[in-house]
Amino acid sequence: MIARMEMITIGFLLDYILGDPENWWHPVQGIGALVSGLEKLFRKLFRISEEPEKDIGKKRFAGGLLVFIVVILTTAVPWLLLWGAKQLHPYAYIAAGGILCYPMLALRSLRKAGYHVFQALKDEDLARARVEVSKMVGRDTENLNAYDVTRAAVESIAENSSDGEIAPLLFMLIFGIPGGWFYKAVNTMDSMLGYRNDRYRYFGSAAARLDDVCSWLPARITALFMIAASWTLRMDYRNAFRIWKRDRHANASPNAAHPESACAGALDVVLLGDATYEGKLVRKDTVGDDLKPIEFVDINRANYLILRTSNLVYIVGMVVLYFV
């Protein structure tokens, strides 16, 4: 457990200081390439029809097989690298674990993306703000006003605080460094395949359901620690808890609304609501009460909130590991 604590601490600090350096290869790119390659292979191998309601059984089987292969290979890579490093020297083992932990965390990158949107809005450059927020969200951003850009950025920060930081951190605390790689593979597959559209409704169902299962506990832990973090930051923690209890199931996803509702309550703003995707309007419930209009400074407030949330989870995790 002490070795795991040291590995996670190294990775946590590297992410805090460096983030994801631009133009460097990232393991998620490798996972994405593997997913894309297997999808093309299986669609051809199993002769899967492109018709939405044909070959449903084949689509489910092929999608499930893809998920199985990806998680096995992705988890095996860090395990083998750690095993090899351990044979060399205990220090090599710790160093390798820290380096393998580092790219699984995305706190600095997420906060940096939010800051770019904040800076563009501060400079009153709406066109640049739309471009920057488009890197964070999947919705159409070309016609968003400053209010909607701000809301989209805060929503992304809140939701991805769980998927991009707290969930992989928890998996590594509980299962070791390979656990973080396992979760990152699951989350990457969901982001690529977990859509309810004609192409992935059945093929991506296994990826989507596995991500729902793996993200269930982290989303709720993120929300609770976010409420605690809002108290330490003198934000509206009472409202954060109230809104989380009321609106935590507002999203179609079983997990996404947990951190989103806690964040909305802490900031005293309304998040979510209708959005346009590929030209189609998608109706969504809102979370939070409109106690004050959302402003671009709320992006920075959300960044402070997820930073404190991550720090609290890390500290509590280290204490638990130490006594275990």
Side-chain angles (χ1 to χ4, degrees):
M1 289 298 180
I2 298 299
R4 187 182 302 177
M5 292 170 63
E6 293 170 342
M7 292 175 184
I8 293 174
T9 298
I10 292 171
F12 192 84
L13 291 175
L14 285 174
D15 175 64
Y16 183 83
I17 297 168
L18 301 176
D20 292 332
E22 294 183 9
N23 302 319
W24 282 28
W25 183 85
H26 195 283
V28 170
Q29 293 175 268
I31 297 170
L34 177 61
V35 172
S36 296
L38 287 176
E39 180 186 355
K40 293 177 182 177
L41 174 64
F42 288 166
R43 286 186 181 276
K44 184 176 181 180
L45 181 65
F46 294 108
R47 299 179 180 179
I48 294 175
S49 172
E50 293 297 327
E51 293 294 322
E53 298 302 322
K54 286 187 178 181
D55 295 337
I56 294 175
K58 287 183 180 181
K59 290 173 182 176
R60 291 189 188 279
F61 176 79
L65 182 61
L66 182 152
V67 168
F68 177 77
I69 292 174
V70 170
V71 296
I72 292 296
L73 292 178
T74 303
T75 308
V77 168
W79 188 90
L80 289 171
L81 289 173
L82 286 171
W83 179 84
K86 196 171 186 178
Q87 309 312 305
L88 295 175
H89 195 278
Y91 287 163
Y93 176 59
I94 299 299
I99 292 171
L100 290 168
C101 168
Y102 161 44
M104 296 301 103
L105 303 174
L107 180 63
R108 184 177 177 87
S109 298
L110 178 59
R111 296 178 68 237
K112 183 178 178 181
Y115 178 76
H116 285 163
V117 179
F118 163 81
Q119 193 61 51
L121 291 171
K122 184 179 179 181
D123 295 339
E124 298 184 356
D125 189 343
L126 182 57
R128 178 158 59 95
R130 289 168 176 165
V131 172
E132 294 297 342
V133 82
S134 70
K135 301 173 184 177
M136 303 177 67
V137 299
R139 73 192 65 178
D140 300 340
T141 62
E142 297 85 356
N143 300 313
L144 297 184
N145 57 31
Y147 171 89
D148 291 328
V149 168
T150 302
R151 181 167 57 88
V154 173
E155 288 169 15
S156 180
I157 291 168
E159 180 181 0
N160 286 293
S161 64
S162 178
D163 294 347
E165 177 71 9
I166 305 303
L169 178 58
L170 287 172
F171 267 76
M172 287 187 285
L173 286 166
I174 298 170
F175 302 109
I177 305 305
W181 283 63
F182 168 86
Y183 179 81
K184 190 62 72 172
V186 171
N187 192 243
T188 301
M189 286 188 289
D190 178 62
S191 68
M192 295 178 68
L193 309 175
Y195 299 99
R196 297 178 181 178
N197 55 24
D198 291 344
R199 182 173 179 81
Y200 292 116
R201 180 174 292 111
Y202 304 111
F203 190 93
S205 60
R209 288 174 182 174
L210 182 58
D211 182 73
D212 286 344
V213 171
C214 291
S215 299
W216 190 91
L217 184 60
R220 288 149 180 81
I221 289 177
T222 300
L224 292 173
F225 273 83
M226 192 176 286
I227 294 166
S230 67
W231 174 72
T232 68
L233 291 169
R234 297 185 178 180
M235 294 183 182
D236 196 345
Y237 68 93
R238 290 188 178 89
N239 194 49
F241 181 72
R242 181 180 68 84
I243 296 299
W244 170 70
K245 284 184 63 179
R246 190 191 73 188
D247 295 343
R248 64 188 185 274
H249 300 302
N251 199 304
S253 163
N255 302 313
H258 283 265
E260 290 170 339
S261 58
C263 182
L267 300 181
D268 293 329
V269 299
V270 171
L271 297 177
L272 299 182
D274 300 344
T276 303
Y277 296 84
E278 298 180 355
K280 296 181 179 179
L281 180 65
V282 177
R283 300 289 183 182
K284 294 183 180 181
D285 293 332
T286 59
V287 297
D289 290 334
D290 194 10
L291 300 181
K292 74 176 190 64
I294 195 167
E295 303 173 297
F296 68 88
V297 293
D298 288 315
I299 298 175
N300 268 5
R301 295 181 70 213
N303 270 342
Y304 287 127
L305 184 59
I306 65 166
L307 174 61
R308 185 62 57 87
T309 301
S310 178
N311 289 342
L312 289 177
V313 173
Y314 166 78
I315 292 169
V316 172
M318 288 295 107
V319 171
V320 171
L321 279 185
Y322 179 80
F323 284 104
V324 167

